Amino acid sequence: MGKSNKKVICINGDDSKLYDQVIFIMKDGINNINENNKKPIDFVFEAEKIINAHINNDKNIKKQEITNVTTRTKDGIQQIVIKKSGKFDIILNIFMLVCCISLASIILMKFYI
């Protein structure tokens, strides 16, 4: 094997990330990749995209259903998926909003009368 000078990019994760460290080993000739695109590569986004694709495609994922939230866990990595609200939830939220607006208007009317 011949020696090659490959560029290595290391990204350290913080407490809010799914990873401690991600390492990208760049292909040779990577210096010219942005000449046509002129847009920098978001390596954090790429790392999270790879991790999420791995979690979503694996069949050995443990799933746990909690009302509108699904958690998926594999090898200590936990992903939380929030489902869209149902019709009942939307109607209940609208009703609560109307009640709050009505209550606020009644209180304001007491001050002006």
Side-chain angles (χ1 to χ4, degrees), residues 50-106:
I50 292 167
I51 291 169
N52 286 329
H54 175 72
I55 290 173
N56 289 333
N57 290 334
D58 198 336
K59 304 299 182 207
N60 297 325
I61 295 173
K62 297 175 189 173
K63 293 185 181 179
Q64 180 183 3
E65 296 278 338
I66 305 172
T67 59
N68 288 344
V69 177
T70 302
T71 59
R72 299 175 181 172
T73 306
K74 181 186 182 234
D75 298 332
I77 299 173
Q78 187 174 32
Q79 181 184 36
I80 298 173
V81 180
I82 299 173
K83 296 178 184 177
K84 293 182 179 180
S85 298
K87 290 180 183 179
F88 177 75
D89 294 334
I90 294 171
I91 292 170
L92 185 61
N93 287 336
I94 291 171
F95 177 72
M96 288 178 13
L97 180 64
V98 169
C99 288
C100 289
I101 292 172
S102 301
L103 183 62
S105 64
I106 291 171

Side-chain angles (χ1 to χ4, degrees), residues 4-68:
S4 66
N5 295 326
K6 296 199 179 238
K7 291 187 178 183
V8 176
I9 298 174
C10 295
I11 301 171
N12 292 319
D14 57 11
D15 291 338
S16 66
K17 301 295 181 189
L18 295 173
Y19 52 85
D20 288 325
Q21 187 177 48
V22 176
I23 300 172
F24 288 96
I25 301 173
M26 307 306 287
K27 291 182 178 179
D28 291 332
I30 200 67
N31 294 336
N32 300 330
I33 195 167
N34 281 339
E35 286 181 3
N36 295 334
N37 196 359
K38 306 259 184 194
K39 184 178 176 185
I41 299 170
D42 186 355
F43 286 102
V44 174
F45 174 75
E46 292 296 325
E48 291 175 355
K49 186 169 73 171
I50 292 167
I51 291 169
N52 286 329
H54 175 72
I55 290 173
N56 289 333
N57 290 334
D58 198 336
K59 304 299 182 207
N60 297 325
I61 295 173
K62 297 175 189 173
K63 293 185 181 179
Q64 180 183 3
E65 296 278 338
I66 305 172
T67 59
N68 288 344

